[in-house]
mmCIF file of all heavy atoms in Angstrom:
data_model
loop_
_atom_site.group_PDB
_atom_site.id
_atom_site.type_symbol
_atom_site.label_atom_id
_atom_site.label_comp_id
_atom_site.label_asym_id
_atom_site.label_seq_id
_atom_site.Cartn_x
_atom_site.Cartn_y
_atom_site.Cartn_z
ATOM 1 N N ASP A 443 29.767 3.215 23.804
ATOM 2 C CA ASP A 443 29.220 3.759 25.050
ATOM 3 C C ASP A 443 29.893 3.113 26.253
ATOM 4 O O ASP A 443 30.182 3.777 27.256
ATOM 5 C CB ASP A 443 27.706 3.513 25.085
ATOM 6 C CG ASP A 443 26.992 4.442 26.058
ATOM 7 O OD1 ASP A 443 27.681 5.178 26.791
ATOM 8 O OD2 ASP A 443 25.748 4.449 26.076
ATOM 9 N N GLY A 444 30.141 1.812 26.163
ATOM 10 C CA GLY A 444 30.812 1.114 27.246
ATOM 11 C C GLY A 444 32.223 1.608 27.487
ATOM 12 O O GLY A 444 32.727 1.553 28.611
ATOM 13 N N PHE A 445 32.860 2.137 26.431
ATOM 14 C CA PHE A 445 34.213 2.686 26.545
ATOM 15 C C PHE A 445 34.203 4.202 26.788
ATOM 16 O O PHE A 445 35.237 4.859 26.672
ATOM 17 C CB PHE A 445 35.023 2.374 25.288
ATOM 18 C CG PHE A 445 35.607 0.992 25.282
ATOM 19 C CD1 PHE A 445 34.956 -0.055 24.643
ATOM 20 C CD2 PHE A 445 36.811 0.726 25.925
ATOM 21 C CE1 PHE A 445 35.493 -1.334 24.635
ATOM 22 C CE2 PHE A 445 37.353 -0.553 25.926
ATOM 23 C CZ PHE A 445 36.695 -1.587 25.275
ATOM 24 N N GLY A 446 33.020 4.737 27.113
ATOM 25 C CA GLY A 446 32.946 6.143 27.466
ATOM 26 C C GLY A 446 32.786 7.096 26.304
ATOM 27 O O GLY A 446 32.821 8.316 26.490
ATOM 28 N N VAL A 447 32.621 6.569 25.081
ATOM 29 C CA VAL A 447 32.416 7.422 23.909
ATOM 30 C C VAL A 447 30.911 7.490 23.653
ATOM 31 O O VAL A 447 30.316 6.548 23.137
ATOM 32 C CB VAL A 447 33.145 6.862 22.669
ATOM 33 C CG1 VAL A 447 32.917 7.777 21.461
ATOM 34 C CG2 VAL A 447 34.636 6.712 22.960
ATOM 35 N N HIS A 448 30.298 8.598 24.019
ATOM 36 C CA HIS A 448 28.845 8.718 23.951
ATOM 37 C C HIS A 448 28.433 9.383 22.637
ATOM 38 O O HIS A 448 28.632 10.583 22.454
ATOM 39 C CB HIS A 448 28.320 9.502 25.152
ATOM 40 C CG HIS A 448 28.729 8.920 26.470
ATOM 41 N ND1 HIS A 448 28.256 7.692 26.911
ATOM 42 C CD2 HIS A 448 29.580 9.358 27.426
ATOM 43 C CE1 HIS A 448 28.789 7.410 28.091
ATOM 44 N NE2 HIS A 448 29.599 8.405 28.422
ATOM 45 N N ILE A 449 27.893 8.574 21.739
ATOM 46 C CA ILE A 449 27.429 9.075 20.442
ATOM 47 C C ILE A 449 25.987 9.532 20.603
ATOM 48 O O ILE A 449 25.130 8.746 21.030
ATOM 49 C CB ILE A 449 27.520 7.974 19.373
ATOM 50 C CG1 ILE A 449 28.966 7.459 19.268
ATOM 51 C CG2 ILE A 449 27.032 8.484 18.016
ATOM 52 C CD1 ILE A 449 29.126 6.251 18.391
ATOM 53 N N PRO A 450 25.667 10.788 20.288
ATOM 54 C CA PRO A 450 24.287 11.271 20.446
ATOM 55 C C PRO A 450 23.293 10.381 19.707
ATOM 56 O O PRO A 450 23.471 10.078 18.528
ATOM 57 C CB PRO A 450 24.336 12.677 19.833
ATOM 58 C CG PRO A 450 25.763 13.097 19.990
ATOM 59 C CD PRO A 450 26.570 11.842 19.801
ATOM 60 N N LYS A 451 22.265 9.931 20.428
ATOM 61 C CA LYS A 451 21.286 9.016 19.838
ATOM 62 C C LYS A 451 20.563 9.651 18.647
ATOM 63 O O LYS A 451 20.110 8.961 17.741
ATOM 64 C CB LYS A 451 20.257 8.604 20.906
ATOM 65 C CG LYS A 451 20.820 7.667 21.983
ATOM 66 C CD LYS A 451 21.190 6.335 21.423
ATOM 67 C CE LYS A 451 21.529 5.270 22.428
ATOM 68 N NZ LYS A 451 21.797 5.583 23.783
ATOM 69 N N GLY A 452 20.458 10.973 18.656
ATOM 70 C CA GLY A 452 19.793 11.654 17.552
ATOM 71 C C GLY A 452 20.462 11.379 16.220
ATOM 72 O O GLY A 452 19.795 11.211 15.190
ATOM 73 N N TYR A 453 21.791 11.311 16.211
ATOM 74 C CA TYR A 453 22.528 11.004 14.984
ATOM 75 C C TYR A 453 22.191 9.596 14.493
ATOM 76 O O TYR A 453 21.992 9.367 13.294
ATOM 77 C CB TYR A 453 24.040 11.107 15.222
ATOM 78 C CG TYR A 453 24.543 12.493 15.532
ATOM 79 C CD1 TYR A 453 25.749 12.684 16.198
ATOM 80 C CD2 TYR A 453 23.813 13.624 15.182
ATOM 81 C CE1 TYR A 453 26.224 13.955 16.485
ATOM 82 C CE2 TYR A 453 24.274 14.901 15.472
ATOM 83 C CZ TYR A 453 25.481 15.063 16.121
ATOM 84 O OH TYR A 453 25.947 16.323 16.408
ATOM 85 N N ILE A 454 22.139 8.666 15.438
ATOM 86 C CA ILE A 454 21.892 7.270 15.086
ATOM 87 C C ILE A 454 20.502 7.110 14.479
ATOM 88 O O ILE A 454 20.335 6.500 13.404
ATOM 89 C CB ILE A 454 22.019 6.367 16.330
ATOM 90 C CG1 ILE A 454 23.398 6.544 16.982
ATOM 91 C CG2 ILE A 454 21.775 4.905 15.951
ATOM 92 C CD1 ILE A 454 24.553 6.237 16.086
ATOM 93 N N TYR A 455 19.506 7.652 15.139
ATOM 94 C CA TYR A 455 18.135 7.454 14.669
ATOM 95 C C TYR A 455 17.820 8.279 13.428
ATOM 96 O O TYR A 455 16.966 7.891 12.632
ATOM 97 C CB TYR A 455 17.151 7.743 15.799
ATOM 98 C CG TYR A 455 17.292 6.743 16.925
ATOM 99 C CD1 TYR A 455 17.689 7.137 18.195
ATOM 100 C CD2 TYR A 455 17.068 5.389 16.701
ATOM 101 C CE1 TYR A 455 17.844 6.214 19.217
ATOM 102 C CE2 TYR A 455 17.222 4.464 17.707
ATOM 103 C CZ TYR A 455 17.607 4.876 18.968
ATOM 104 O OH TYR A 455 17.770 3.952 19.968
ATOM 105 N N THR A 456 18.530 9.402 13.245
ATOM 106 C CA THR A 456 18.378 10.158 12.002
ATOM 107 C C THR A 456 18.914 9.346 10.823
ATOM 108 O O THR A 456 18.288 9.279 9.758
ATOM 109 C CB THR A 456 19.116 11.508 12.085
ATOM 110 O OG1 THR A 456 18.545 12.296 13.138
ATOM 111 C CG2 THR A 456 19.002 12.272 10.775
ATOM 112 N N ALA A 457 20.070 8.703 11.031
ATOM 113 C CA ALA A 457 20.646 7.853 9.980
ATOM 114 C C ALA A 457 19.730 6.680 9.669
ATOM 115 O O ALA A 457 19.529 6.314 8.498
ATOM 116 C CB ALA A 457 22.027 7.348 10.416
ATOM 117 N N MET A 458 19.155 6.079 10.715
ATOM 118 C CA MET A 458 18.240 4.962 10.510
ATOM 119 C C MET A 458 16.994 5.409 9.753
ATOM 120 O O MET A 458 16.533 4.728 8.826
ATOM 121 C CB MET A 458 17.860 4.349 11.863
ATOM 122 C CG MET A 458 18.993 3.618 12.554
ATOM 123 S SD MET A 458 18.609 3.095 14.256
ATOM 124 C CE MET A 458 17.329 1.875 13.966
ATOM 125 N N ALA A 459 16.446 6.569 10.133
ATOM 126 C CA ALA A 459 15.243 7.082 9.465
ATOM 127 C C ALA A 459 15.528 7.384 7.995
ATOM 128 O O ALA A 459 14.706 7.088 7.111
ATOM 129 C CB ALA A 459 14.744 8.339 10.176
ATOM 130 N N PHE A 460 16.693 7.957 7.712
ATOM 131 C CA PHE A 460 17.066 8.253 6.327
ATOM 132 C C PHE A 460 17.178 6.964 5.514
ATOM 133 O O PHE A 460 16.683 6.879 4.382
ATOM 134 C CB PHE A 460 18.396 9.012 6.290
ATOM 135 C CG PHE A 460 18.877 9.329 4.908
ATOM 136 C CD1 PHE A 460 18.335 10.388 4.189
ATOM 137 C CD2 PHE A 460 19.863 8.560 4.312
ATOM 138 C CE1 PHE A 460 18.768 10.689 2.902
ATOM 139 C CE2 PHE A 460 20.312 8.837 3.027
ATOM 140 C CZ PHE A 460 19.766 9.905 2.315
ATOM 141 N N SER A 461 17.822 5.941 6.094
ATOM 142 C CA SER A 461 17.978 4.660 5.397
ATOM 143 C C SER A 461 16.626 4.013 5.121
ATOM 144 O O SER A 461 16.399 3.461 4.039
ATOM 145 C CB SER A 461 18.854 3.714 6.236
ATOM 146 O OG SER A 461 20.130 4.269 6.461
ATOM 147 N N VAL A 462 15.735 4.072 6.113
ATOM 148 C CA VAL A 462 14.392 3.516 5.931
ATOM 149 C C VAL A 462 13.654 4.261 4.826
ATOM 150 O O VAL A 462 12.953 3.654 4.003
ATOM 151 C CB VAL A 462 13.595 3.581 7.250
ATOM 152 C CG1 VAL A 462 12.124 3.266 7.003
ATOM 153 C CG2 VAL A 462 14.171 2.611 8.275
ATOM 154 N N GLY A 463 13.820 5.584 4.774
ATOM 155 C CA GLY A 463 13.187 6.371 3.723
ATOM 156 C C GLY A 463 13.659 5.981 2.338
ATOM 157 O O GLY A 463 12.858 5.821 1.405
ATOM 158 N N VAL A 464 14.982 5.793 2.192
ATOM 159 C CA VAL A 464 15.543 5.383 0.898
ATOM 160 C C VAL A 464 15.030 3.999 0.509
ATOM 161 O O VAL A 464 14.645 3.764 -0.641
ATOM 162 C CB VAL A 464 17.088 5.396 0.953
ATOM 163 C CG1 VAL A 464 17.673 4.777 -0.310
ATOM 164 C CG2 VAL A 464 17.604 6.819 1.129
ATOM 165 N N GLU A 465 15.032 3.063 1.472
ATOM 166 C CA GLU A 465 14.567 1.708 1.173
ATOM 167 C C GLU A 465 13.078 1.703 0.843
ATOM 168 O O GLU A 465 12.619 0.920 0.005
ATOM 169 C CB GLU A 465 14.847 0.782 2.353
ATOM 170 C CG GLU A 465 14.463 -0.670 2.118
ATOM 171 C CD GLU A 465 15.166 -1.305 0.931
ATOM 172 O OE1 GLU A 465 16.301 -0.870 0.599
ATOM 173 O OE2 GLU A 465 14.591 -2.244 0.320
ATOM 174 N N SER A 466 12.307 2.589 1.479
ATOM 175 C CA SER A 466 10.880 2.689 1.165
ATOM 176 C C SER A 466 10.672 3.116 -0.281
ATOM 177 O O SER A 466 9.792 2.596 -0.978
ATOM 178 C CB SER A 466 10.198 3.695 2.106
ATOM 179 O OG SER A 466 10.277 3.259 3.447
ATOM 180 N N LEU A 467 11.490 4.052 -0.753
ATOM 181 C CA LEU A 467 11.411 4.472 -2.155
ATOM 182 C C LEU A 467 11.767 3.316 -3.086
ATOM 183 O O LEU A 467 11.152 3.139 -4.144
ATOM 184 C CB LEU A 467 12.349 5.660 -2.403
ATOM 185 C CG LEU A 467 11.956 6.975 -1.726
ATOM 186 C CD1 LEU A 467 13.027 8.043 -1.964
ATOM 187 C CD2 LEU A 467 10.610 7.469 -2.236
ATOM 188 N N ASN A 468 12.782 2.509 -2.679
ATOM 189 C CA ASN A 468 13.154 1.336 -3.482
ATOM 190 C C ASN A 468 11.996 0.341 -3.564
ATOM 191 O O ASN A 468 11.727 -0.231 -4.628
ATOM 192 C CB ASN A 468 14.381 0.643 -2.878
ATOM 193 C CG ASN A 468 15.662 1.378 -3.164
ATOM 194 O OD1 ASN A 468 15.782 2.043 -4.196
ATOM 195 N ND2 ASN A 468 16.625 1.276 -2.271
ATOM 196 N N ILE A 469 11.310 0.120 -2.446
ATOM 197 C CA ILE A 469 10.182 -0.814 -2.424
ATOM 198 C C ILE A 469 9.055 -0.304 -3.318
ATOM 199 O O ILE A 469 8.457 -1.065 -4.090
ATOM 200 C CB ILE A 469 9.684 -1.009 -0.971
ATOM 201 C CG1 ILE A 469 10.732 -1.760 -0.150
ATOM 202 C CG2 ILE A 469 8.360 -1.768 -0.958
ATOM 203 C CD1 ILE A 469 10.407 -1.833 1.329
#
Side-chain angles (χ1 to χ4, degrees):
D443 200 353
F445 278 96
V447 180
H448 304 293
I449 302 172
K451 289 293 190 345
Y453 294 158
I454 304 302
Y455 294 117
T456 298
M458 291 172 66
F460 178 78
S461 301
V462 169
V464 172
E465 183 59 28
S466 297
L467 292 176
N468 284 330
I469 292 172

